[in-house]
Structure formats: structure tokens, C-alpha cells
Amino acid sequence: MPAIVNRKPSLLAVSADYDGVVAVQLDKIGDDFRSNPLSTPQKRTLRSNSTPISTPVKWKSPRRSVNASPNCPPNAIERDVDGRLPKISKSLVKKLADNFAVKPNWNPRDAEQMRAVKEALHLSTSPPVVVCREEEQNKVLEFCKLCIKQEKAGSLYVCGCPGTGKTLSMEKVRRLLVDWTRENGLQQPDLLVLNCTSLTNTSDIFSKILSKSQSQKRSTGTTSPLKLLQNIYSQKPQESSRNMTLIVADELDYLITKDRAVLHDLFMLTTLPFSRCVLIGVANAIDLADRFLPKLKSLNCKPMVITFRAYSKDQILKILEERLMSLPYVVFQKIALELCARKVAAESGDMRKALNVCRSAIEMLEAELRESPNYLSLSPVEKAVIGQQTAPAPDVLEKREIDVVRIDHMVVALSKTYRSPVVDTIQSLPQHQQIILCSAVKLFRGGKKDTTIGELNKCYTDICKSTLIPPVGVLELSSMCKVLNDQGLLKLGQSREEKFKRVALKIDEEDVTFALQGIRFFRSCLQ
């Protein structure tokens, strides 16, 4: 039976059954015998006589006898099997352990698990590791180290759009700086971390700085905190007050006044001859540097500028996964997190928006569970689709996994966060018009700018046939294209024959994908 002899068993079969391993070895012996049928059989040695006999011994088939083989000494198979079986088993156990070492899905009905997930994604929760900002953090840290080593004042301006990790990075830099001074036996600077939005008056920041200065003098009724600071930093300090002062002023743009006097006076403190102040200003306004830097440059106190750029799709995805890594279970579908990261990166790159969207998607799952205690109901998005479809796709109606946040939950959450008239219009269209837009998107992915009604009808018909939906005729499709043209979704050209009219998309392909991504039927069409 050559087919049986040459068959290679799977690793699972080998690890599951010891007899299977023996059978594999016997198959190999059978192959060897068939490849060399003329080999001389082994001669038996009698116990009473050490002289070998000349007659060949009758031996059994290798399939039926383990101990008898024409080419192998007795017990060779047992030794081979005994030597190799533990090795195979260990490797298989490791592979199986790796395959099953996957986090289980969470239980959204468990109040404790739900609380832990929401807490991990909350804005107020500081992640254990601040990722994707290592380069900017190193720049700020090296600047502070240089100022402390040389005991010289300096100023730094950190700017970036909201939600780009500026505040978290400054907190990490502060901790690293404290550890660095302790390890190197240096005197730790006096730390002043404040949010400028908490100041009642913009000039109150000078009182805060004065309170951190060890060489402060009692203020008289006529001397302002700013004047006292200017006097202190203009005189040589005493040996007992040699500490540097590190000031991290967050939301610095709240200090902007009409004449910007407070902002200028603050940075001017770092230029005084005996200043012991290292100032780090953090602001959301990227153009603030362009507005006040020329004046500071003329005053010889231009700060070093570090810009935190908006997060990319990959960075947002990495940060979300980093926050969820501490949880012992899977909460989101990977594709749902990718959709969130892609959309937020395209809109603003604001990590706070991404966290809010993820929390909103969890609330969508909670609402679905409240409405479907039997675990079998569909999402609100797919209920609407089934209502539109004359013949729904079979995979839409199959039992859904309810123990993870799916892509349809994420689409609803993104729609609530980024409401767009175009997306609302696409989602409210009849099903056949939505299929026409999907067909146009598929045709234009190759770089084409427009197509004809005939080509569009062919792609539209293929999608309908693949999903068992009866297609409309070319004239009716042309009429629907006119409706989409009137709504500003398509651009329809002129021609004597309907099938030669040129068609082009007037909206972004991403809007169509985003509007219909939460519906499995259209998701498969757009792939």
C-alpha cells in the first residue's frame, strides 16, 4: 500500500498517539526494505552454539513485528523510538502552549472587568509607559541636564496640538531628572509644576515662583513678586541657596495678554546674570512661538523650541494596545482598533479623542447587551441594513460574538464623535445607491479618475450577483446616478448613449468606506 507507507503524519497525530509514532518509524523501515529488496537478512545466533547458522531466518513483516527487521539489529526500533519520542513531545508541547497562550475574551457583563477597562482608557489614567515620544523626551531631558550641570538658567518652549502627549512627557522627564540627579550625587532642583489655567491672575505665576525660591525676601507692600524675583536673580546668591529651580508651566498660552508683558517678563527671568531658573513652557498653540519669539529674540531670551507633532495611525494604535496590554483579556477586535486609529489620525491625531472613541464603543456594546440578553441580536447598524435588504447576506444573520468590541460598535462611536453631513447622507441612501458608490470606490482604487456608466454597471452587477441581490437595469442605474449627482456624491457627464456617460466621485473614498464600514455586507464589498 504505497499511499499509506508514504503518508507523512501531522505533528498533532504524533504527539497524540504513541502508537502513531511507532507506525511512522515502521513505515520508514518498510520504505528502506522496498528500496533495497536484495539485502541479506540477519542470521540468528543460537544460545547453545555461538556459530551462526547459514539458513536465513523467517521474519515477519515490519508492520507486524517491531523486533524483527532485515536491516536492523534487534531492539533497534525501540531504542530509536525511545530516544526520539520525548524530543518530539517537548517541541509539540511548546508549540501548543504558544498557540494557546492567547488572552481570553473579556466578559462585558462583569462589572469589575468593565470598570477596569474603562479605567485603563480614561484620560486621567497615566499609562505606565509613555511610548512614541522618546525622541522629544530625550531632547527635553538633555536640555535640563545641561542646565543643571552648568548651573545656568535656560528656557524651553514645548508646543503641539492637543492630545499629543506633551503633559505626560513632561511628567516622565521630571521623574527621570530626579533619578539622574540622585544617581550622580547632584543637588536636586526645586520643582514647580503648575497649570496656568488655575491662576486667578496671569501675574500670579511670579508669586508661585517666588515661593519656590530659597533666597526669597519678605515682600513689602510696594514691591511686586516680579520685582523681587528680578532683584534676586540679579544678585550673586549665597552658598546656602544654590538650588536651581525647574519650572514647568503647562497651558502657557493662558498667560497671553494684550501686550504679552507677562509672557515676556517670565522668559526674561532666565536671562538675568545670576538666575537659577530653568523654565519649560508647554502650550497647544504652535503659532505662539512665531508670535512672541521675535520679541524674545530682540530681548536676547529666545527659548529652544520642541514641537510635538500629531500622532500617526501606527502611533495611536501602539498607544491603545499599550494601555490595554495590562488587562488579562481581549476587549477589542484588532480591526476595530485599527479603524479608530486611522480615523483619529486622519482627523486630528488627538490621542484624547481616540480614548474617548474607544470608551464610546464600549458603551455601544453595553447598550447592545441590555437589548439582547440572549446574545443573539445584531447591532443597531446591521438591523438597519437587514431592514433595507431584500435578501440579506447569510453571514450577517449568523450568531455574533458579543464578548468583544466589534468594528460596527467602533463605527457608531466614530460617527458620534466625527459627525459629517456626507457620511450621514451616505448612510441614509437606499441600498442600491450605496452599492453604486461601493462599485465606484472599487473601480477608482487603481488610480482611475472616472469611468463610464457601462463599466460601473458591470461592477455593480457583479457585486449584486455575489450577494444574491437582484440588480437593476442599466437605465435605472443611470437614473440613480443622476440622483447621486444631484446630492453632490457623483459627477455625471453628458453623452448620447447612457452607457457611455462618464461618472466620477465628488467625495473622498474614505468617506464612503467610513460610512459603510460598520455593515458587514458592505465591508466585504469594499475589500
Side-chain angles (χ1 to χ4, degrees):
M1 299 174 63
I4 297 177
V5 171
N6 296 329
R7 183 178 60 190
K8 296 182 179 180
S10 67
L11 289 175
L12 290 177
V14 175
S15 66
D17 193 353
Y18 177 91
D19 295 335
V21 178
V22 177
V24 173
Q25 298 296 332
L26 294 177
D27 286 350
K28 183 178 184 303
I29 295 171
D31 291 341
D32 294 340
F33 180 73
R34 288 171 178 77
S35 62
N36 190 11
L38 300 179
S39 61
T40 304
Q42 294 286 337
K43 297 179 181 180
R44 174 180 294 177
T45 302
L46 299 178
R47 294 181 181 178
S48 60
N49 188 3
S50 60
T51 306
I53 61 175
S54 58
T55 57
V57 178
K58 183 178 179 182
W59 56 279
K60 297 181 181 180
S61 169
R63 280 192 177 278
R64 301 170 59 188
S65 175
V66 174
N67 295 328
S69 171
N71 297 325
C72 300
N75 297 331
I77 297 176
E78 284 89 338
R79 288 196 298 270
D80 187 52
V81 172
D82 290 341
R84 295 180 61 183
L85 184 59
K87 182 178 179 181
I88 295 174
S89 300
K90 287 179 181 178
S91 62
L92 282 172
V93 168
K94 184 177 185 303
K95 288 184 179 180
L96 291 174
D98 291 342
N99 290 336
F100 289 103
V102 179
K103 291 182 179 181
N105 290 346
W106 72 318
N107 179 14
R109 294 183 180 275
D110 189 323
E112 184 62 26
Q113 291 188 16
M114 179 66 71
R115 184 200 61 76
V117 171
K118 289 185 176 181
E119 183 177 342
L121 297 172
H122 201 277
L123 293 176
S124 61
T125 303
S126 297
V129 181
V130 183
V131 296
C132 302
R133 287 300 181 215
E134 292 80 5
E135 182 180 353
E136 292 85 353
Q137 291 168 9
N138 288 334
K139 288 180 179 179
V140 178
L141 183 59
E142 291 302 320
F143 169 81
C144 295
K145 286 181 179 179
L146 184 63
C147 291
I148 292 175
K149 276 183 179 179
Q150 298 179 353
E151 296 188 354
K152 290 185 178 180
S155 59
L156 182 68
Y157 178 65
V158 176
C159 60
C161 295
T164 52
K166 301 184 298 296
T167 303
L168 283 176
S169 295
M170 294 306 104
E171 179 63 24
K172 181 178 180 180
V173 167
R174 186 187 65 79
R175 294 196 304 266
L176 292 174
L177 188 62
V178 170
D179 295 339
W180 174 78
T181 55
R182 187 183 297 114
E183 291 171 1
N184 290 271
L186 300 174
Q187 200 167 17
Q188 292 186 14
D190 296 327
L191 296 174
L192 174 60
V193 181
L194 57 91
N195 192 309
C196 296
T197 59
S198 64
L199 299 175
T200 306
N201 196 333
T202 56
S203 60
D204 289 346
I205 190 171
F206 301 116
S207 301
K208 299 283 187 181
I209 299 173
L210 188 62
S211 65
K212 279 291 180 181
S213 177
Q214 290 186 356
S215 59
Q216 59 177 310
K217 299 178 182 179
R218 291 191 175 274
S219 175
T220 61
T222 57
T223 307
S224 66
L226 174 60
K227 290 294 183 181
L228 276 175
L229 282 173
Q230 290 173 343
N231 293 335
I232 292 171
Y233 292 150
S234 299
Q235 300 173 6
K236 188 173 181 179
Q238 301 175 1
E239 290 297 327
S240 60
S241 59
R242 302 283 304 175
N243 273 21
M244 301 284 290
T245 302
L246 176 62
I247 305 167
V248 180
D250 203 358
E251 305 291 352
L252 191 69
D253 35 5
Y254 277 83
L255 299 182
I256 299 176
T257 55
K258 189 174 183 180
D259 56 357
R260 300 187 183 89
V262 174
L263 208 57
H264 292 152
D265 290 336
L266 179 62
F267 279 89
M268 282 289 292
L269 291 176
T270 62
T271 63
L272 297 174
F274 296 101
S275 177
R276 314 282 298 167
C277 170
V278 179
L279 173 64
I280 302 177
V282 184
N284 293 330
I286 298 178
D287 62 338
L288 182 61
D290 298 330
R291 285 187 278 151
F292 81 88
L293 276 184
K295 176 67 173 177
L296 292 178
K297 186 176 180 180
S298 65
L299 296 172
N300 196 27
C301 59
K302 180 182 178 181
M304 176 182 172
V305 180
I306 296 178
T307 303
F308 280 59
R309 303 196 178 279
Y311 284 116
S312 65
K313 183 261 294 184
D314 293 335
Q315 289 175 327
I316 293 175
L317 182 60
K318 183 177 180 180
I319 295 172
L320 289 175
E321 291 176 342
E322 190 71 30
R323 280 181 172 256
L324 295 169
M325 192 178 298
S326 60
L327 301 174
Y329 32 75
V330 177
V331 180
F332 291 84
Q333 282 184 343
K334 182 66 178 294
I335 190 173
L337 286 179
E338 289 178 354
L339 176 64
C340 174
R342 189 181 301 277
K343 181 62 178 179
V344 173
E347 292 291 336
S348 61
D350 188 342
M351 192 61 218
R352 297 179 301 182
K353 284 285 182 68
L355 293 173
N356 287 332
V357 168
C358 288
R359 287 170 60 86
S360 180
I362 292 174
E363 293 173 0
M364 298 297 109
L365 176 60
E366 282 186 293
E368 180 179 307
L369 290 175
R370 285 193 297 268
E371 296 174 1
S372 56
N374 58 353
Y375 293 84
L376 295 177
S377 70
L378 300 175
S379 67
V381 177
E382 290 175 336
K383 287 179 181 177
V385 178
I386 293 174
Q388 294 178 8
Q389 292 180 355
T390 56
D395 58 345
V396 178
L397 295 175
E398 61 188 18
K399 183 178 178 179
R400 308 302 309 278
E401 54 176 350
I402 55 84
D403 48 359
V404 291
V405 179
R406 304 187 303 270
I407 190 171
D408 50 312
H409 300 134
M410 190 64 71
V411 168
V412 176
L414 286 168
S415 299
K416 290 173 62 178
T417 305
Y418 300 103
R419 296 304 295 181
S420 169
V422 174
V423 172
D424 291 341
T425 301
I426 295 172
Q427 291 178 342
S428 63
L429 289 174
Q431 186 187 39
H432 284 276
Q433 295 183 23
Q434 291 174 336
I435 297 176
I436 290 174
L437 290 178
C438 287
S439 305
V441 168
K442 293 187 69 172
L443 285 173
F444 298 150
R445 278 179 180 167
K448 295 177 64 175
K449 298 297 182 182
D450 60 1
T451 186
T452 62
I453 289 288
E455 292 178 352
L456 182 63
N457 180 63
K458 183 179 178 181
C459 184
Y460 159 81
T461 304
D462 291 341
I463 292 178
C464 289
K465 288 182 178 179
S466 66
T467 54
L468 304 179
I469 296 177
V472 300
V474 64
L475 294 178
E476 189 173 352
L477 182 137
S478 179
S479 299
M480 287 191 288
C481 288
K482 291 178 182 178
V483 174
L484 294 174
N485 177 77
D486 295 339
Q487 292 181 324
L489 303 177
L490 289 181
K491 182 179 180 182
L492 189 63
Q494 299 294 328
S495 178
R496 294 181 179 179
E497 295 189 35
E498 292 290 334
K499 63 180 181 179
F500 292 132
K501 288 183 177 180
R502 308 298 297 183
V503 181
L505 270 176
K506 291 183 67 176
I507 56 176
D508 193 354
E509 295 179 14
E510 294 293 333
D511 287 335
V512 179
T513 304
F514 176 69
L516 304 177
Q517 187 73 34
I519 306 170
R520 181 179 292 188
F521 166 73
F522 290 110
R523 189 160 67 246
S524 60
C525 293
L526 291 167
Q527 288 179 352

